[in-house]
Amino acid sequence: MLEELFSCGFCYDKTVEFLSNRCRECPTLRRIPMGKSSCGRRLPAVAIGSLKNPVLFAAGFSADDRVSVLLLLRFLADLTDPEDAQGIISAGNLPRFFDRGGLILLPMVNPDGFEIAARGTDAALYLKKLAQMAEGRMEGAWRSSATGVDLTKNFDLAFDYDSGWNGRAGEPDFPGSRPESEAETKALIRLCSAFHLKRAVEFRTPGEAILPAYGQYAPPNARISGELIANSCGYRLPDPAEAFERGSFKDWFAARSGREGYTIKAGRSNPVPEGDLEPLYARLVQTMLLCMVL
């Protein structure tokens, strides 16, 4: 199903090509303008169904998290398969859902990071010198943005100012010098402002856990919905203190919108092998459908 992504190596361009091909083959699938990354790459996003109250699925915040990207693309392939009359579409009663609701997929929040991870710091273009300095401070594989910021910690909710002021670009878990400093973060915030999202779901690996956004701004049914989602795949549901993540997208979204935000941490090993994609998808496909229609 995703052979074109693997045939020439997994990268940003192949992801964009895959989405373009699906848009051509499925007229109801359309591109959503999302803005650009720090290096000027367009953030790839597509939508299907009504956009009055859509659900958002976002992945690829960290450049070493290839499986989360592939998980969303695998799901999209099934959603837009015209020959799947007895499969995922009918199982989730999706034709009726798409009449009144919709889905926005943003499979690669951090395209610069994925390109740098695949091709080296030359892929940072005019930010090459900054990326080289950040690379010298990293431990292990590249996972940050082109500017050395961990995009899972850059949102303006309980932002870790101590780490921002005392840390340096490229160091593990560096949240940025200030909240919402990154072009990718700003683009995602604009998307949330442009659409009245029913729910936002962030996909990351690993962890085998469902992390709902709790707190005074989250909807009162967040715990109940979280239990349903966790039960659908058998993942762990942490208590509120453990589920809260400083500077995270899901907690920022719930606090700013008053609607449900979740992080689904998929898989066990770190990193999750790409060979585990199909069994991982088989375990999570019903959970993904539930996150849409709940």
Side-chain angles (χ1 to χ4, degrees), residues 114-174:
F114 278 92
E115 285 296 282
I116 294 170
R119 309 183 192 284
T121 53
D122 283 347
L125 306 177
Y126 72 96
L127 294 175
K128 178 180 177 180
K129 289 186 178 179
L130 180 59
Q132 288 174 334
M133 287 189 292
E135 185 180 38
R137 304 182 186 115
M138 288 188 179
E139 299 176 3
W142 188 286
R143 68 185 308 271
S144 71
S145 69
T147 55
V149 172
D150 186 341
L151 296 179
T152 67
K153 303 178 184 301
N154 189 237
F155 290 83
D156 190 9
L157 185 79
F159 181 80
D160 190 354
Y161 282 99
D162 286 340
S163 296
W165 288 330
N166 299 323
R168 295 184 298 173
E171 292 180 340
D173 302 322
F174 178 64

Side-chain angles (χ1 to χ4, degrees), residues 30-280:
R30 51 208 185 273
R31 297 176 185 174
I32 297 292
M34 264 290 300
K36 297 181 179 180
S37 69
S38 295
C39 292
R41 295 180 175 92
R42 294 188 182 279
L43 272 64
V46 293
I48 185 169
S50 170
L51 295 182
K52 291 182 178 179
N53 293 284
V55 174
L56 172 66
F57 285 178
F61 286 76
S62 299
D64 60 346
D65 190 6
R66 294 158 59 112
V67 169
S68 73
V69 178
L70 294 171
L71 189 64
L72 291 199
L73 297 181
R74 179 70 177 83
F75 186 61
L76 177 65
D78 271 358
L79 284 181
T80 56
D81 184 357
E83 300 179 0
D84 190 28
Q86 302 301 318
I88 182 175
I89 296 175
S90 60
N93 199 15
L94 293 185
R96 288 186 61 186
F97 169 78
F98 286 134
D99 286 339
R100 54 183 172 79
L103 177 68
I104 298 175
L105 285 100
L106 175 57
M108 189 179 283
V109 173
N110 184 13
D112 295 344
F114 278 92
E115 285 296 282
I116 294 170
R119 309 183 192 284
T121 53
D122 283 347
L125 306 177
Y126 72 96
L127 294 175
K128 178 180 177 180
K129 289 186 178 179
L130 180 59
Q132 288 174 334
M133 287 189 292
E135 185 180 38
R137 304 182 186 115
M138 288 188 179
E139 299 176 3
W142 188 286
R143 68 185 308 271
S144 71
S145 69
T147 55
V149 172
D150 186 341
L151 296 179
T152 67
K153 303 178 184 301
N154 189 237
F155 290 83
D156 190 9
L157 185 79
F159 181 80
D160 190 354
Y161 282 99
D162 286 340
S163 296
W165 288 330
N166 299 323
R168 295 184 298 173
E171 292 180 340
D173 302 322
F174 178 64
S177 58
R178 65 186 187 279
E180 301 172 8
S181 60
E182 303 310 294
E184 297 83 359
T185 306
K186 293 173 183 175
L188 191 47
I189 289 171
R190 286 195 300 269
L191 176 72
C192 294
S193 299
F195 297 94
H196 190 270
L197 298 177
K198 174 184 176 183
R199 179 180 297 112
V201 185
E202 173 189 357
F203 290 81
R204 303 207 319 251
T205 61
E208 293 197 338
I210 306 296
L211 279 60
Y214 297 113
Q216 61 178 348
Y217 299 108
N221 62 336
R223 180 76 191 189
I224 297 174
S225 297
E227 289 175 353
L228 292 173
I229 294 170
N231 289 338
S232 69
C233 58
Y235 278 9
R236 184 173 61 92
L237 185 69
D239 60 38
E242 184 182 351
F244 180 76
E245 300 172 299
R246 294 170 67 115
S248 69
F249 170 61
K250 68 105 166 38
D251 287 297
W252 170 87
F253 173 78
R256 294 298 182 269
S257 70
R259 294 184 290 276
E260 294 176 20
Y262 298 93
T263 295
I264 295 180
K265 290 191 171 183
R268 219 175 259 182
S269 58
N270 188 16
V272 177
E274 290 172 16
D276 288 355
L277 174 63
E278 284 303 319
L280 191 63

